[in-house]
PDB file of all heavy atoms in Angstrom:
ATOM      1  N   ALA A  58      20.934  11.462  10.107  1.00 80.00           N
ATOM      2  CA  ALA A  58      20.017  10.736   9.221  1.00 80.00           C
ATOM      3  C   ALA A  58      18.623  11.343   9.271  1.00 80.00           C
ATOM      4  O   ALA A  58      17.950  11.469   8.237  1.00 80.00           O
ATOM      5  CB  ALA A  58      19.973   9.258   9.611  1.00 80.00           C
ATOM      6  N   LEU A  59      18.171  11.721  10.457  1.00 78.00           N
ATOM      7  CA  LEU A  59      16.854  12.341  10.577  1.00 78.00           C
ATOM      8  C   LEU A  59      16.822  13.708   9.905  1.00 78.00           C
ATOM      9  O   LEU A  59      15.822  14.096   9.307  1.00 78.00           O
ATOM     10  CB  LEU A  59      16.470  12.458  12.055  1.00 78.00           C
ATOM     11  CG  LEU A  59      16.198  11.138  12.777  1.00 78.00           C
ATOM     12  CD1 LEU A  59      15.947  11.385  14.262  1.00 78.00           C
ATOM     13  CD2 LEU A  59      15.021  10.402  12.161  1.00 78.00           C
ATOM     14  N   ARG A  60      17.929  14.455   9.996  1.00 82.00           N
ATOM     15  CA  ARG A  60      17.985  15.770   9.357  1.00 82.00           C
ATOM     16  C   ARG A  60      17.896  15.648   7.839  1.00 82.00           C
ATOM     17  O   ARG A  60      17.300  16.489   7.164  1.00 82.00           O
ATOM     18  CB  ARG A  60      19.278  16.475   9.741  1.00 82.00           C
ATOM     19  CG  ARG A  60      19.368  17.929   9.266  1.00 82.00           C
ATOM     20  CD  ARG A  60      20.704  18.533   9.582  1.00 82.00           C
ATOM     21  NE  ARG A  60      21.765  17.979   8.755  1.00 82.00           N
ATOM     22  CZ  ARG A  60      21.989  18.360   7.491  1.00 82.00           C
ATOM     23  NH1 ARG A  60      21.213  19.268   6.922  1.00 82.00           N
ATOM     24  NH2 ARG A  60      22.969  17.819   6.808  1.00 82.00           N
ATOM     25  N   LEU A  61      18.498  14.587   7.300  1.00 79.00           N
ATOM     26  CA  LEU A  61      18.524  14.403   5.850  1.00 79.00           C
ATOM     27  C   LEU A  61      17.299  13.660   5.333  1.00 79.00           C
ATOM     28  O   LEU A  61      17.157  13.487   4.126  1.00 79.00           O
ATOM     29  CB  LEU A  61      19.782  13.613   5.458  1.00 79.00           C
ATOM     30  CG  LEU A  61      21.124  14.281   5.766  1.00 79.00           C
ATOM     31  CD1 LEU A  61      22.259  13.322   5.455  1.00 79.00           C
ATOM     32  CD2 LEU A  61      21.271  15.565   4.974  1.00 79.00           C
ATOM     33  N   ALA A  62      16.429  13.201   6.230  1.00 74.00           N
ATOM     34  CA  ALA A  62      15.269  12.404   5.805  1.00 74.00           C
ATOM     35  C   ALA A  62      14.347  13.229   4.910  1.00 74.00           C
ATOM     36  O   ALA A  62      14.139  14.423   5.129  1.00 74.00           O
ATOM     37  CB  ALA A  62      14.513  11.894   7.023  1.00 74.00           C
ATOM     38  N   ASP A  63      13.795  12.576   3.905  1.00 69.00           N
ATOM     39  CA  ASP A  63      12.844  13.222   3.004  1.00 69.00           C
ATOM     40  C   ASP A  63      11.544  13.473   3.757  1.00 69.00           C
ATOM     41  O   ASP A  63      10.938  12.536   4.273  1.00 69.00           O
ATOM     42  CB  ASP A  63      12.588  12.313   1.795  1.00 69.00           C
ATOM     43  CG  ASP A  63      11.776  13.008   0.701  1.00 69.00           C
ATOM     44  OD1 ASP A  63      11.125  14.032   1.007  1.00 69.00           O
ATOM     45  OD2 ASP A  63      11.786  12.523  -0.439  1.00 69.00           O
ATOM     46  N   PRO A  64      11.077  14.720   3.833  1.00 68.00           N
ATOM     47  CA  PRO A  64       9.834  14.981   4.582  1.00 68.00           C
ATOM     48  C   PRO A  64       8.589  14.460   3.869  1.00 68.00           C
ATOM     49  O   PRO A  64       7.518  14.421   4.456  1.00 68.00           O
ATOM     50  CB  PRO A  64       9.803  16.510   4.686  1.00 68.00           C
ATOM     51  CG  PRO A  64      10.582  16.976   3.493  1.00 68.00           C
ATOM     52  CD  PRO A  64      11.659  15.955   3.283  1.00 68.00           C
ATOM     53  N   GLN A  65       8.704  14.083   2.595  1.00 74.00           N
ATOM     54  CA  GLN A  65       7.547  13.593   1.853  1.00 74.00           C
ATOM     55  C   GLN A  65       7.551  12.069   1.866  1.00 74.00           C
ATOM     56  O   GLN A  65       8.385  11.440   1.235  1.00 74.00           O
ATOM     57  CB  GLN A  65       7.568  14.105   0.416  1.00 74.00           C
ATOM     58  CG  GLN A  65       7.303  15.597   0.310  1.00 74.00           C
ATOM     59  CD  GLN A  65       7.212  16.037  -1.133  1.00 74.00           C
ATOM     60  OE1 GLN A  65       8.057  15.693  -1.948  1.00 74.00           O
ATOM     61  NE2 GLN A  65       6.183  16.788  -1.452  1.00 74.00           N
ATOM     62  N   LEU A  66       6.611  11.497   2.601  1.00 77.00           N
ATOM     63  CA  LEU A  66       6.488  10.053   2.692  1.00 77.00           C
ATOM     64  C   LEU A  66       5.077   9.648   2.312  1.00 77.00           C
ATOM     65  O   LEU A  66       4.109  10.331   2.637  1.00 77.00           O
ATOM     66  CB  LEU A  66       6.787   9.559   4.109  1.00 77.00           C
ATOM     67  CG  LEU A  66       8.221   9.728   4.616  1.00 77.00           C
ATOM     68  CD1 LEU A  66       8.310   9.274   6.067  1.00 77.00           C
ATOM     69  CD2 LEU A  66       9.199   8.943   3.760  1.00 77.00           C
ATOM     70  N   LEU A  67       4.977   8.536   1.621  1.00 79.00           N
ATOM     71  CA  LEU A  67       3.686   7.967   1.273  1.00 79.00           C
ATOM     72  C   LEU A  67       3.408   6.793   2.199  1.00 79.00           C
ATOM     73  O   LEU A  67       4.187   5.838   2.250  1.00 79.00           O
ATOM     74  CB  LEU A  67       3.695   7.488  -0.176  1.00 79.00           C
ATOM     75  CG  LEU A  67       2.481   6.671  -0.618  1.00 79.00           C
ATOM     76  CD1 LEU A  67       1.219   7.517  -0.592  1.00 79.00           C
ATOM     77  CD2 LEU A  67       2.710   6.086  -1.993  1.00 79.00           C
ATOM     78  N   VAL A  68       2.332   6.877   2.970  1.00 79.00           N
ATOM     79  CA  VAL A  68       1.944   5.753   3.820  1.00 79.00           C
ATOM     80  C   VAL A  68       1.231   4.742   2.926  1.00 79.00           C
ATOM     81  O   VAL A  68       0.049   4.868   2.631  1.00 79.00           O
ATOM     82  CB  VAL A  68       1.029   6.206   4.977  1.00 79.00           C
ATOM     83  CG1 VAL A  68       0.644   5.010   5.842  1.00 79.00           C
ATOM     84  CG2 VAL A  68       1.738   7.261   5.829  1.00 79.00           C
ATOM     85  N   ALA A  69       1.997   3.757   2.479  1.00 76.00           N
ATOM     86  CA  ALA A  69       1.461   2.792   1.525  1.00 76.00           C
ATOM     87  C   ALA A  69       0.889   1.566   2.212  1.00 76.00           C
ATOM     88  O   ALA A  69       0.127   0.819   1.616  1.00 76.00           O
ATOM     89  CB  ALA A  69       2.558   2.368   0.543  1.00 76.00           C
ATOM     90  N   ASP A  70       1.257   1.340   3.451  1.00 72.00           N
ATOM     91  CA  ASP A  70       0.684   0.231   4.199  1.00 72.00           C
ATOM     92  C   ASP A  70       0.734   0.628   5.663  1.00 72.00           C
ATOM     93  O   ASP A  70       1.605   1.378   6.090  1.00 72.00           O
ATOM     94  CB  ASP A  70       1.480  -1.060   3.966  1.00 72.00           C
ATOM     95  CG  ASP A  70       0.740  -2.272   4.518  1.00 72.00           C
ATOM     96  OD1 ASP A  70      -0.496  -2.221   4.569  1.00 72.00           O
ATOM     97  OD2 ASP A  70       1.401  -3.252   4.882  1.00 72.00           O
ATOM     98  N   GLY A  71      -0.211   0.169   6.439  1.00 72.00           N
ATOM     99  CA  GLY A  71      -0.239   0.534   7.842  1.00 72.00           C
ATOM    100  C   GLY A  71      -1.019   1.794   8.130  1.00 72.00           C
ATOM    101  O   GLY A  71      -0.902   2.374   9.208  1.00 72.00           O
ATOM    102  N   HIS A  72      -1.859   2.242   7.180  1.00 73.00           N
ATOM    103  CA  HIS A  72      -2.599   3.485   7.409  1.00 73.00           C
ATOM    104  C   HIS A  72      -3.636   3.330   8.514  1.00 73.00           C
ATOM    105  O   HIS A  72      -3.945   4.298   9.209  1.00 73.00           O
ATOM    106  CB  HIS A  72      -3.261   3.971   6.114  1.00 73.00           C
ATOM    107  CG  HIS A  72      -4.001   2.914   5.363  1.00 73.00           C
ATOM    108  ND1 HIS A  72      -3.345   1.988   4.595  1.00 73.00           N
ATOM    109  CD2 HIS A  72      -5.316   2.632   5.274  1.00 73.00           C
ATOM    110  CE1 HIS A  72      -4.237   1.170   4.040  1.00 73.00           C
ATOM    111  NE2 HIS A  72      -5.434   1.527   4.444  1.00 73.00           N
ATOM    112  N   HIS A  73      -4.146   2.108   8.713  1.00 77.00           N
ATOM    113  CA  HIS A  73      -5.080   1.914   9.827  1.00 77.00           C
ATOM    114  C   HIS A  73      -4.357   2.030  11.171  1.00 77.00           C
ATOM    115  O   HIS A  73      -4.882   2.607  12.132  1.00 77.00           O
ATOM    116  CB  HIS A  73      -5.760   0.546   9.715  1.00 77.00           C
ATOM    117  CG  HIS A  73      -6.627   0.405   8.508  1.00 77.00           C
ATOM    118  ND1 HIS A  73      -6.237  -0.319   7.412  1.00 77.00           N
ATOM    119  CD2 HIS A  73      -7.843   0.929   8.206  1.00 77.00           C
ATOM    120  CE1 HIS A  73      -7.186  -0.258   6.495  1.00 77.00           C
ATOM    121  NE2 HIS A  73      -8.163   0.482   6.943  1.00 77.00           N
ATOM    122  N   ARG A  74      -3.132   1.492  11.237  1.00 80.00           N
ATOM    123  CA  ARG A  74      -2.345   1.628  12.461  1.00 80.00           C
ATOM    124  C   ARG A  74      -2.007   3.092  12.721  1.00 80.00           C
ATOM    125  O   ARG A  74      -2.030   3.559  13.860  1.00 80.00           O
ATOM    126  CB  ARG A  74      -1.066   0.807  12.364  1.00 80.00           C
ATOM    127  CG  ARG A  74      -1.269  -0.689  12.171  1.00 80.00           C
ATOM    128  CD  ARG A  74       0.089  -1.383  12.004  1.00 80.00           C
ATOM    129  NE  ARG A  74      -0.017  -2.722  11.487  1.00 80.00           N
ATOM    130  CZ  ARG A  74      -0.237  -3.035  10.220  1.00 80.00           C
ATOM    131  NH1 ARG A  74      -0.408  -2.076   9.348  1.00 80.00           N
ATOM    132  NH2 ARG A  74      -0.288  -4.285   9.829  1.00 80.00           N
ATOM    133  N   LEU A  75      -1.658   3.810  11.664  1.00 81.00           N
ATOM    134  CA  LEU A  75      -1.326   5.223  11.828  1.00 81.00           C
ATOM    135  C   LEU A  75      -2.527   6.005  12.341  1.00 81.00           C
ATOM    136  O   LEU A  75      -2.395   6.835  13.248  1.00 81.00           O
ATOM    137  CB  LEU A  75      -0.851   5.804  10.492  1.00 81.00           C
ATOM    138  CG  LEU A  75      -0.564   7.307  10.493  1.00 81.00           C
ATOM    139  CD1 LEU A  75       0.535   7.650  11.487  1.00 81.00           C
ATOM    140  CD2 LEU A  75      -0.194   7.791   9.100  1.00 81.00           C
ATOM    141  N   GLU A  76      -3.693   5.751  11.790  1.00 83.00           N
ATOM    142  CA  GLU A  76      -4.889   6.477  12.233  1.00 83.00           C
ATOM    143  C   GLU A  76      -5.199   6.135  13.690  1.00 83.00           C
ATOM    144  O   GLU A  76      -5.565   7.023  14.483  1.00 83.00           O
ATOM    145  CB  GLU A  76      -6.077   6.124  11.343  1.00 83.00           C
ATOM    146  CG  GLU A  76      -7.365   6.850  11.713  1.00 83.00           C
ATOM    147  CD  GLU A  76      -7.251   8.352  11.657  1.00 83.00           C
ATOM    148  OE1 GLU A  76      -6.460   8.869  10.834  1.00 83.00           O
ATOM    149  OE2 GLU A  76      -7.944   9.034  12.457  1.00 83.00           O
ATOM    150  N   ALA A  77      -5.037   4.864  14.071  1.00 86.00           N
ATOM    151  CA  ALA A  77      -5.263   4.482  15.470  1.00 86.00           C
ATOM    152  C   ALA A  77      -4.272   5.185  16.388  1.00 86.00           C
ATOM    153  O   ALA A  77      -4.630   5.659  17.478  1.00 86.00           O
ATOM    154  CB  ALA A  77      -5.144   2.968  15.627  1.00 86.00           C
TER     155      ALA A  77
END
Side-chain angles (χ1 to χ4, degrees):
L59 292 175
R60 187 184 71 79
L61 297 174
D63 189 341
Q65 290 185 312
L66 294 176
L67 171 65
V68 180
D70 191 28
H72 47 282
H73 296 104
R74 300 177 195 77
L75 176 61
E76 181 59 31

